[in-house]
Amino acid sequence: MSRSQPVDRGLTKSATFLVFSVVPTDDSIRAVRGVVSSVPDITKNISIRDLDANLTCVVGIGSRVWDSITKLPRPAELHPFPEVRGAKQTAVSTPGDLLFHIRAERRDMCFEMERQLIDKLGDAVRLEDHTTGFRYLDARDLLGFVDGTANPVGGDVVDAVVVSESDNGINATSVGGSYVVVQKYLHDLKAWKMLSTKQQEAIIGRTKLDNIEIDDAEDGQQQAHKTLATIKDASGGEHAILRDNMPFGSPSTGEYGTYFIAYSRRLWVVEKMMERMFLGHPPGLHDRILDFSTAITGSTFFAPSLKSLEAIGDEK
Ligand code: HEM
Ligand SMILES: *[C@@H]1O[C@H](CO)[C@@H](O)[C@H](O)[C@H]1NC(C)=O
Ligand SMILES: *[C@@H]1O[C@H](CO)[C@@H](O)[C@H](O)[C@H]1NC(C)=O
Ligand SMILES: *[C@@H]1O[C@H](CO)[C@@H](O)[C@H](O)[C@H]1NC(C)=O
């Protein structure tokens, strides 16, 4: 099996999310090929300075530039993030050709990776968004709930996240890759804090202090976030995704947010979750997290296998 990029590493203390558009000139595309294919090398060069910091960087490539940058067959499901327009909130679709998901136990290692990437990318890209996330207490989001509990662990991670031979038939180059979806959310913490803990727990579907799952509501009733985000196939099997969400923000400017990032072997699973949250299931009963959270970005990428990523540098 083709080795994947470090998509399966867990949450670290620090993470940086960089989303760029690629300037559409031959020179820019050539420069971008050089940089993305050397990301494993750049990471290695920086991480050697403190191996315990577990520096990693995953590169995702968006639908719009896939064919010009890679020459690899298109991943079967890859397309731009589809806007989902709900009654209360819209899952917006925003520009993004390249994603760099940088993780480390040390903020300065993320900084150094970002610095070297920005230096090398130069004028070939335009910054769409940069977010620096941090671990908050016992891995809580800024709504105060532990985030990431239901993620797959151990051998289930690769099974949930990495495209395998059996998914793809002839498109062998997509094997070892992952779909990646990102959304940057801002929270209205003032309004959230007006709710009682019990009301907040009903919205999330877990207790706040000790993080215990609450029973699902009856069919047809308002469902909790954890229920709306559970996707089952016809035979009742659950399709897990891997979320590496990070809090970000700045109390002095009143900015409080969650950077949502999901890796999946199947893009449709994440999109289905999005529809259930924004449109509601049953329709009309949208996810109440969205009454307190606004998505200000939304982009989809594919993170090719290591071998495919390195091969991009050989394109002429
Ligand atoms: C404002 C943004 C969001 C916040 C603050 C948030 C927070 C949470 C929390 C606290 C949990 C429960 C603990 C856990 O299992 O991790 C959870 C579960 C989950 N969330 Fe979110 N989430 C957000 C957006 C999303 C989005 C956009 C998706 C997918 C499109 C999603 C998918 C999931 C899934 C799959 C679970 C696990 C459900 C289960 O199997 O129990 N979340 N989220
Ligand atoms: C990594 O470090 C080596 C040795 O210093 C250097 O030759 C190489 O160019 C560096 N690679 C990148 C991608 O920065
Ligand atoms: C680094 O990653 C390894 C393997 O995933 C893990 O065992 C170790 O605890 C991590 N180090 C730190 C400082 O978190
Ligand atoms: C293989 O890739 C092509 C595009 O290169 C796509 O049209 C086709 O649907 C893919 N086939 C499978 C089986 O995924």
Side-chain angles (χ1 to χ4, degrees), residues 5-6 18 31-51 54-59 100 102-103 108-122 306 309-310:
Q5 295 187 61
L18 299 173
V32 164
R33 283 186 192 136
V35 177
V36 298
S37 61
S38 63
V39 159
D41 260 352
I42 305 172
T43 313
K44 189 166 157 250
N45 280 5
I46 299 172
S47 64
I48 193 79
R49 300 165 83 171
D50 178 3
L51 286 172
N54 282 354
L55 174 72
T56 59
C57 179
V58 174
V59 184
F100 296 92
I102 305 169
R103 280 179 274 190
D108 60 340
M109 299 290 269
C110 292
F111 174 95
E112 182 62 11
M113 186 73 203
E114 177 178 357
R115 190 183 70 78
Q116 293 198 17
L117 283 173
I118 299 273
D119 268 4
K120 287 185 172 31
L121 287 165
L306 265 186
L309 185 71
E310 285 171 350

Side-chain angles (χ1 to χ4, degrees), residues 3-211:
R3 270 175 64 213
S4 56
Q5 295 187 61
V7 294
D8 56 343
R9 303 303 173 80
L11 291 168
T12 45
K13 283 193 186 128
S14 197
T16 300
F17 304 89
L18 299 173
V19 173
F20 297 102
S21 290
V22 176
V23 174
T25 63
D26 290 350
D27 282 352
S28 300
I29 287 166
R30 219 170 298 121
V32 164
R33 283 186 192 136
V35 177
V36 298
S37 61
S38 63
V39 159
D41 260 352
I42 305 172
T43 313
K44 189 166 157 250
N45 280 5
I46 299 172
S47 64
I48 193 79
R49 300 165 83 171
D50 178 3
L51 286 172
D52 291 337
N54 282 354
L55 174 72
T56 59
C57 179
V58 174
V59 184
I61 300 169
S63 174
R64 192 177 76 109
V65 295
W66 181 271
D67 300 303
S68 53
I69 290 183
T70 72
K71 306 281 194 309
L72 299 166
R74 284 181 80 79
E77 286 189 79
L78 185 62
H79 54 223
F81 184 100
E83 178 183 284
V84 185
R85 192 175 283 274
K88 172 74 190 176
Q89 287 278 0
T90 296
V92 293
S93 175
T94 55
D97 295 332
L98 294 178
L99 166 76
F100 296 92
H101 179 203
I102 305 169
R103 280 179 274 190
E105 295 301 325
R106 283 174 51 168
R107 170 82 190 99
D108 60 340
M109 299 290 269
C110 292
F111 174 95
E112 182 62 11
M113 186 73 203
E114 177 178 357
R115 190 183 70 78
Q116 293 198 17
L117 283 173
I118 299 273
D119 268 4
K120 287 185 172 31
L121 287 165
D123 296 335
V125 295
R126 209 182 58 233
L127 182 68
E128 296 291 346
D129 182 61
H130 67 115
T131 302
T132 55
F134 52 86
R135 176 176 297 157
Y136 181 53
L137 307 173
D138 45 338
R140 286 176 191 261
D141 56 40
L142 296 182
L143 302 176
F145 284 78
V146 177
D147 194 358
T149 314
N151 270 337
V153 291
D156 293 341
V157 177
V158 167
D159 191 55
V161 163
V162 180
V163 175
S164 91
E165 212 74 60
S166 61
D167 294 324
N168 252 55
I170 55 167
N171 289 335
T173 40
S174 293
V175 172
S178 283
Y179 295 93
V180 197
V181 178
V182 300
Q183 276 184 313
K184 183 172 182 170
Y185 283 93
L186 295 179
H187 300 304
D188 180 353
L189 278 199
K190 227 183 230 154
W192 178 250
K193 283 180 175 160
M194 307 259 276
L195 301 180
S196 67
T197 299
K198 211 167 152 58
Q199 285 170 319
Q200 294 179 351
E201 290 175 337
I203 289 172
I204 301 291
R206 285 181 175 268
T207 60
K208 196 169 183 180
L209 180 67
D210 49 14
N211 190 28

Side-chain angles (χ1 to χ4, degrees), residues 227-240:
T227 313
L228 291 169
T230 299
I231 306 297
K232 293 193 179 129
D233 60 22
S235 56
E238 270 186 34
H239 286 302

